[in-house]
Structures are given as C-alpha cells and as structure tokens.
Amino acid sequence: MMELFNSNFFAGLATLLTGTVAIGIYFQQKNDTKTQAARVLLVEIRTAEERIAQIKEKIATEETADIPSVLPTKSWKIYSHLFVSDLDQDELKLMGSFYDYCESIEDFGKRNNDFFWITTEERARVSQQQIAEIFNEAYAITEDNRDEFITNKIAFVRNAFDNYGFMYSPQKTLTGIKNYIDKIQTITTSTCGLKLKRIAKLSK
C-alpha cells in the first residue's frame, strides 16, 4: 500500500483530482459572479426605466426644474465580458446602447439641474439688490408716502423674482434629453432582459 502512495501513478492521480476540484471551484465562482452581476444590472436597468418614465412625464408637463438621476452607476462596463457567451450580438448592442443613452441623459439632466440652481441663486441675488435699491429710493420720498411706496415696490419685486412661476431650462439640454429618450429601448421586457433574469435566477 505504501508503494502505491509513493508511486508516480498516485502522485499523478492526486494532481488530477486536485486540478479537477480547482476547475470546479473556479467555474462555480464564475457562475456565482455572473448571477450577482446579472442581479446588479437588472436593478440598475429597472431603476433607469422608471426614471426615464418620470422624465417623460416631467417633459410632457413642462416641469423640468428637477430631472431625476437615471444612471449614477455604470455596471455594464464592468460586467459586460461575463455575458458575451449568453447574449447575441443584437442583445449586446442593445445593452450597450441602453447604457450609453442613459449616460447621456444623466449628463444632460445634471446640466439642466445645475442651471436651474444657478438661475435660482441669481434671481435671489437680484431680488435682494432690488429691495436694497427700493429703500434707498424711499429716502427721497416724503414720509407720508414712504411706507406705501416701499410696500408696493417690494410686492412688485417679489412677484417678479420670487414667485415667478416660469422656470427656464436651457433648450439644448432638454432637446438632448428628448432625443436620447426617443432612442432608448426597454430592456426588462426584451429577450435580453429575459436572459438576464434567467442568469440572475429570478422568475420575474
């Protein structure tokens, strides 16, 4: 028996068994990684699709002051290599386009929101400046008419700057958002989405 353990045959057999176990562990870990990656992608895609629907509604109702974030993370660039053998060329292209378009919408949305806050701050600054000028002008008016003058002028400034309902958004950012939203295709209900759900081991 000791001769068998010390033989080249046993050493080769042990090496083969060790290699087989190592390969099995490797593929199991790879499958687990792919399953987790598919779940991450599906969460991102579902969130993006929901946000895109919200943006469409905002644009339709012209409420463009606060565009929601569509795709803060871009996991497809990290995990795409795991799905090359599972998705066909059209599906891989669909995934790539979806993420590219979402990234562009995200960028335009941030620009739109930044511009909104910049203009809001500027309007507040101008409003305060106008009120200061009103008080300076009031000193040139008789005391009997001063209070009425100040009240009327301040009311005008507040209506013009503080309570003005129209929120301007730069047309270029809104046009960019609309263009990419029109191009984007739904993933979750496509064959690509169904494959990702199968890989993620999700029924829906």
Side-chain angles (χ1 to χ4, degrees), residues 152-165:
N152 292 338
K153 285 286 188 177
I154 289 178
F156 172 79
V157 170
R158 285 180 174 171
N159 286 330
F161 291 96
D162 297 339
N163 300 320
Y164 193 45

Side-chain angles (χ1 to χ4, degrees), residues 86-188:
D86 299 284
L87 306 178
D88 62 33
Q89 290 299 313
D90 291 334
E91 290 165 339
L92 290 170
K93 183 178 179 181
L94 177 63
M95 285 289 290
S97 296
F98 182 87
Y99 271 79
D100 287 344
Y101 295 156
C102 283
E103 187 173 352
S104 295
I105 294 169
E106 177 83 7
D107 180 58
F108 278 117
K110 285 181 179 178
R111 294 185 192 183
N112 182 82
N113 294 345
D114 289 345
F115 187 87
F116 167 74
W117 288 114
I118 289 171
T119 54
T120 298
E121 291 174 0
E122 180 63 15
R123 282 168 54 188
R125 186 190 67 79
V126 172
S127 176
Q128 293 300 316
Q129 182 180 348
Q130 291 289 322
I131 289 174
E133 291 177 1
I134 288 169
F135 279 97
N136 287 333
E137 292 175 12
Y139 284 107
I141 299 175
T142 60
E143 189 173 346
D144 292 339
N145 298 325
R146 188 175 297 162
D147 289 343
E148 182 180 359
F149 172 82
I150 291 174
T151 300
N152 292 338
K153 285 286 188 177
I154 289 178
F156 172 79
V157 170
R158 285 180 174 171
N159 286 330
F161 291 96
D162 297 339
N163 300 320
Y164 193 45
F166 179 70
M167 297 297 180
Y168 174 75
S169 293
Q171 191 60 39
K172 186 174 181 179
T173 61
L174 293 179
T175 299
I177 290 171
K178 291 176 184 177
N179 287 341
Y180 284 109
I181 281 181
D182 289 340
K183 293 178 181 178
I184 208 161
Q185 298 182 51
T186 303
I187 298 289
T188 50

